[in-house]
Amino acid sequence: MEAVEMTSLKRPHSEDDVANVDEIKRQKISEESSKTGSNSEQSVDVTEQPGKPLLEDKKDDIILNEEGEEEDNELEESDEEGDPESFADMMKHGLIELDVGITKFVSSHKGFSGILKERYSDFVVHEIGKDGHISHLDDFSVPVDDEDPSEEIFTVLSNEDKQHLEELQLFKNKETSVAIEVIEDTKEKRTIIHHAVKSLFPGLETKTEDRDGKKYIVAYHAAGKKALANPRKHSWPKSRGSYCHFVLYKENKDTMDAINVLSKFLRVKPNIFSYMGTKDKRAITVQEIAVLRITAQRLAHLNKCLMNFKLGNFSYKNHPLKLGELQGNHFTVVLRNITGTDDQVQQAMHSLREIGFINYYGMQRFGTTAVPTYQVGRAILQNNWNEVMDLILKPRPGAEKGYLVKCREEWAKTKDPAAALKKLPVKRCVEGQLLRGLSKYGLKNIVSAFGIIPRNNRLMYIHSYQSYIWNNMVSKRIEEYGLKAVSGDLVLKGGTAVHIEEADVDDYTIHDIVMPLPGFDVIYPKHKIGDAYKEMLSADNLDISNMRHKIRDYSLSGAYRKIIIRPQNVRWEVVAYDDPRIPLFNTDLDTLEGKPPPILATEGKFKALKMEFSLPPSTYATMAIREVLKMDTSIKKQTQLNTIWLR
């Protein structure tokens, strides 16, 4: 079967469409995810969202191979609220798929139109653990043992007490202790207060004191500031696993946001949480989380006070979770207001199940602004640090917060990092970190200044460049040789890449073929595409035979990635509906709360395609959806599509 060129599809107009404009105006701009899962994409990327806070640097390296999900700590999504037409106008400078080498399809069906993520609940992601089990939230019960404190600990302290204790715990006041008067003085009451303070405020110790004939529980710091990061070891039963594992169900929040919220409510550091993969914001996601020495009882209590989160399926284990351990993610996706005939839908979904889709890196890999992340990566690899600084800080067209515009203008006018930094209310973003580094090290030491940015976020740029090369080379490979294995292609044998010899071509299919991300520890195809790699890198003043960088962090070893991915567990149905606001299937939480399934119209004004599929790590759900619709998945094109539809 020949690969099909990408075609640009526009949403058709009709009288019915115009009549329903008011209803459709609710729709949001379709955004690329995960930002592995997730949002939600299967592979989660750090995309450069200017002006958004960076997350703390982690010790975990970014995984860029078939062994595990790509796990940079992602930046928050930019805000997409507001008038769609003005947003479309701002996004006119953004990237489209053609810009990053995404040009081919593998199926022959005629494409059709549909809206991705009209509602965040149209995109649901369930994590698949290393044992192949799909994570579901289906149990709120708490494992109980004799060591658990009573439920009273959550209510025995007043809000004022809690505020004073939190300020003490976080060293926000000058006091060295907080005294809580015991109103009904009994030993049992004092014991409950002692437990409440120690359980709810890790790092604090308590003692009982007599003052003027009254009993007080006095809270104080036991071990200085380090105590907050290290939960109290002596308070945890030896017979119980040190880690409480639980399933986190979240709506419209990315994983790191969720963990930051949980840690704030629990008054602990975020780094005591672990997980196998990050999930996107604009979706409903279900994943496993582990936390060090926090009881299931205490976690379950958060269900009473948190919006858009639910915690359940608690268990105690002796190990944390590690990035990349998951087998993949299972997606349930609704594409609303589809225009395809039943025939087109059947052809598209059969092709997805039988052939699969091109394993391109999705659009979020390359950023959302007029300065793509791969351009910064290329400048780093070229050792062109003035260009790196310029690309990150210079004024740029398109969607930007007002304070960022002012910061860039100040930088362009004065080249004074301190003056530009003053224009930023949010300092922990890429721009803020770089400006802080330039203030510290000076304009003649950009390398050290850039090094202030967390490592994962720095590596995001060069990995984006690798992805840009890979996308372009795969499009060229499919254009040149189609969907069959040919002599000179690469396959993996026991984790090692080898070339296919002419005599062995019939032993392989397109599903076996891998292509390299450029680096010093990979080999390249022995046909025209091997030469094309060399030519593309050479055009960027890079030497394919010398991908080691003067700075070790920026040396690229490379990796291999399958050309075609065939999703597993593919199911689909076309459903009719009248009201764009109604959900078209039940979530885990709906089922747990006993909500009946949505009643769908036999014949409705609109049609939706509900599809389910499982993907392995380091692949992008939007690229599977792109293959079905044959539409450009970039924010720029999706936004234009939606605003044309609204007119």
Side-chain angles (χ1 to χ4, degrees):
M1 186 181 295
E2 290 301 314
V4 182
E5 286 288 348
M6 182 167 181
T7 55
S8 176
L9 296 176
K10 292 190 176 182
R11 191 182 304 283
H13 294 274
S14 72
E15 291 179 12
D16 287 342
D17 295 343
V18 174
N20 288 297
V21 161
D22 287 339
E23 290 185 50
I24 305 304
K25 279 186 178 177
R26 300 182 186 91
Q27 62 200 39
K28 298 281 190 179
I29 309 310
S30 164
E31 272 203 327
E32 282 281 4
S33 303
S34 37
K35 323 202 198 309
T36 237
S38 1
N39 343 284
S40 240
E41 282 306 305
Q42 172 64 21
S43 182
V44 180
D45 292 290
V46 179
T47 58
E48 184 199 16
Q49 302 289 355
K52 288 292 184 180
L54 295 171
L55 298 164
E56 291 181 13
D57 203 358
K58 298 283 185 186
K59 63 182 178 181
D60 307 279
D61 288 347
I62 301 168
I63 299 169
L64 271 176
N65 54 35
E66 297 302 316
E67 300 304 315
E69 185 172 77
E70 213 179 323
E71 292 302 348
D72 306 34
N73 288 324
E74 60 181 315
L75 309 183
E76 289 182 15
E77 295 180 12
S78 58
D79 191 1
E80 63 180 38
E81 303 296 336
D83 178 67
E85 291 200 47
S86 64
F87 187 81
D89 187 57
M90 287 192 291
M91 284 308 303
K92 66 186 178 184
H93 301 285
L95 295 172
I96 60 173
E97 289 182 347
L98 183 64
D99 296 329
V100 294
I102 301 173
T103 60
K104 301 291 182 182
F105 295 99
V106 297
S107 55
S108 57
H109 73 274
K110 184 179 177 184
F112 52 92
S113 180
I115 304 174
L116 173 60
K117 293 191 184 181
E118 180 174 348
R119 300 166 56 87
Y120 67 79
S121 55
D122 288 346
F123 204 99
V124 177
V125 189
H126 289 89
E127 194 169 69
I128 305 173
K130 59 183 177 181
D131 59 357
H133 174 73
I134 297 176
S135 292
H136 282 279
L137 180 75
D138 52 21
D139 184 6
F140 281 145
S141 66
V142 174
V144 177
D145 59 40
D146 295 337
E147 301 286 347
D148 279 327
S150 70
E151 191 68 21
E152 272 189 275
I153 70 161
F154 299 107
T155 56
V156 71
L157 298 173
S158 69
N159 288 334
E160 188 179 0
D161 289 337
K162 289 177 182 176
Q163 184 179 343
H164 291 321
L165 288 164
E166 181 176 1
E167 289 170 355
L168 175 67
Q169 182 201 38
L170 300 177
F171 297 91
K172 287 185 176 179
N173 58 20
K174 295 177 182 177
E175 303 296 327
T176 57
S177 64
V178 169
I180 301 165
E181 184 180 355
V182 184
I183 305 298
E184 301 168 11
D185 181 25
T186 63
K187 186 177 180 182
E188 290 76 15
K189 186 75 170 183
R190 293 197 302 272
T191 302
I192 291 169
I193 296 175
H194 282 295
H195 278 309
V197 173
K198 292 175 184 178
S199 297
L200 299 178
F201 300 91
L204 296 185
E205 282 292 353
T206 57
K207 59 186 177 182
T208 304
E209 286 186 2
D210 281 307
R211 296 182 182 178
D212 301 325
K214 295 179 181 178
K215 283 280 198 302
Y216 288 86
I217 305 298
V218 179
Y220 60 96
H221 272 286
K225 293 190 177 183
K226 289 183 180 179
L228 186 58
N230 301 308
R232 299 164 62 255
K233 294 180 181 179
H234 62 272
S235 66
W236 195 262
K238 291 180 180 178
S239 59
R240 181 195 286 165
S242 292
Y243 294 88
C244 184
H245 287 232
F246 62 94
V247 168
L248 172 66
Y249 169 102
K250 62 182 182 61
E251 300 181 354
N252 210 26
K253 281 275 184 191
D254 67 40
T255 301
M256 284 311 303
D257 275 345
I259 284 175
N260 286 334
V261 170
L262 294 176
S263 61
K264 179 182 175 184
F265 273 82
L266 294 167
R267 300 176 182 88
V268 294
K269 293 289 188 184
N271 61 8
I272 70 169
F273 290 87
S274 58
Y275 44 88
M276 294 182 286
T278 57
K279 301 290 179 281
D280 188 24
K281 175 181 178 180
R282 192 162 169 74
I284 290 175
T285 68
V286 182
Q287 68 183 117
E288 189 175 349
I289 305 285
V291 60
L292 177 65
R293 296 191 181 95
I294 299 289
T295 64
Q297 185 185 31
R298 194 169 161 205
L299 291 166
H301 188 73
L302 297 180
N303 285 332
K304 300 174 183 177
C305 50
L306 290 179
M307 295 278 290
N308 300 326
F309 301 112
K310 288 294 176 185
L311 286 60
N313 297 77
F314 302 102
S315 62
Y316 292 110
K317 298 180 182 178
N318 288 317
H319 58 84
L321 295 169
K322 294 180 182 177
L323 290 173
E325 281 186 326
L326 73 171
Q327 274 195 21
N329 287 315
H330 184 75
F331 294 85
T332 305
V333 178
V334 168
L335 301 174
R336 291 187 184 245
N337 203 31
I338 60 168
T339 60
T341 64
D342 288 347
D343 230 14
Q344 285 174 295
V345 171
Q346 294 303 316
Q347 286 180 42
M349 294 307 297
H350 277 289
S351 176
L352 183 68
R353 186 174 63 191
E354 303 304 323
I355 301 173
F357 62 96
I358 303 171
N359 193 19
Y360 286 124
Y361 286 97
M363 292 303 297
Q364 70 273 32
R365 184 74 165 161
F366 307 101
T368 57
T369 71
V371 178
T373 50
Y374 72 81
Q375 289 184 5
V376 180
R378 178 168 53 202
I380 293 170
L381 294 172
Q382 292 169 341
N383 219 31
N384 186 348
W385 293 99
N386 282 312
E387 176 78 355
V388 171
M389 179 176 68
D390 190 43
L391 286 169
I392 293 174
L393 295 178
K394 71 181 180 181
R396 56 180 74 172
E400 288 245 281
K401 299 286 187 186
Y403 57 77
L404 259 179
V405 173
K406 290 176 183 175
C407 170
R408 296 189 194 286
E409 287 173 350
E410 182 67 32
W411 171 255
K413 184 170 65 177
T414 66
K415 289 292 188 288
D416 180 344
L421 193 59
K422 285 180 182 176
K423 304 288 184 181
L424 279 182
V426 179
K427 302 291 193 287
R428 292 186 68 251
C429 57
V430 168
E431 296 85 356
Q433 295 280 38
L434 179 55
L435 288 168
R436 191 163 64 85
L438 292 169
S439 295
K440 182 176 181 179
Y441 295 106
L443 299 184
K444 292 185 178 178
N445 193 354
I446 301 169
V447 174
S448 295
F450 185 70
I452 278 186
I453 297 169
R455 182 174 182 271
N456 281 359
N457 296 106
R458 285 182 277 125
L459 296 184
M460 169 264 295
Y461 291 113
I462 56 175
H463 291 151
S464 175
Y465 179 73
Q466 281 183 307
S467 306
Y468 171 74
I469 298 293
W470 195 90
N471 279 0
N472 278 279
M473 290 299 97
V474 166
S475 292
K476 201 168 187 65
R477 158 64 181 77
I478 290 174
E479 181 178 340
E480 193 70 39
Y481 299 111
L483 299 178
K484 60 181 186 298
V486 297
S487 174
D489 273 334
L490 292 168
V491 292
L492 291 178
K493 285 190 176 178
T496 303
V498 297
H499 293 104
I500 299 178
E501 302 298 333
E502 186 67 52
D504 301 324
V505 163
D506 292 340
D507 295 339
Y508 300 100
T509 72
I510 193 67
H511 297 100
D512 300 312
I513 309 304
V514 297
M515 296 253 298
L517 290 128
F520 60 77
D521 198 25
V522 294
I523 60 174
Y524 295 88
K526 278 186 182 176
H527 46 50
K528 291 180 182 178
I529 306 308
D531 296 329
Y533 269 96
K534 188 180 295 185
E535 290 164 10
M536 191 168 185
L537 287 167
S538 180
D540 287 339
N541 295 315
L542 295 171
D543 182 359
I544 199 169
S545 60
N546 183 20
M547 297 301 289
R548 294 188 187 273
H549 197 278
K550 292 177 182 178
I551 300 165
R552 187 178 176 184
D553 259 2
Y554 310 133
S555 288
L556 293 176
S557 60
Y560 299 98
R561 181 176 176 86
K562 283 198 169 183
I563 291 183
I564 303 291
I565 291 292
R566 192 159 39 192
Q568 301 299 305
N569 307 314
V570 179
R571 295 188 291 273
W572 69 90
E573 64 175 319
V574 175
V575 296
Y577 65 103
D578 289 314
D579 185 351
R581 296 168 300 181
I582 66 165
L584 299 181
F585 62 93
N586 270 7
T587 65
D588 282 2
L589 187 58
D590 293 333
T591 304
L592 202 49
E593 292 178 344
K595 290 184 182 176
I599 300 171
L600 303 173
T602 309
E603 290 187 16
K605 297 176 188 174
F606 310 109
K607 280 195 310 181
L609 171 58
K610 179 191 170 190
M611 54 198 294
E612 290 187 56
F613 51 88
S614 298
L615 292 179
S618 196
T619 55
Y620 288 73
T622 43
M623 292 296 100
I625 294 163
R626 169 187 179 270
E627 186 68 42
V628 170
L629 294 177
K630 293 200 171 174
M631 288 172 60
D632 189 314
T633 60
S634 64
I635 295 176
K636 178 176 179 178
K637 285 292 186 182
Q638 288 285 309
T639 307
Q640 288 173 351
L641 195 67
N642 279 312
T643 52
I644 288 169
W645 174 231
L646 289 177
R647 286 176 186 148

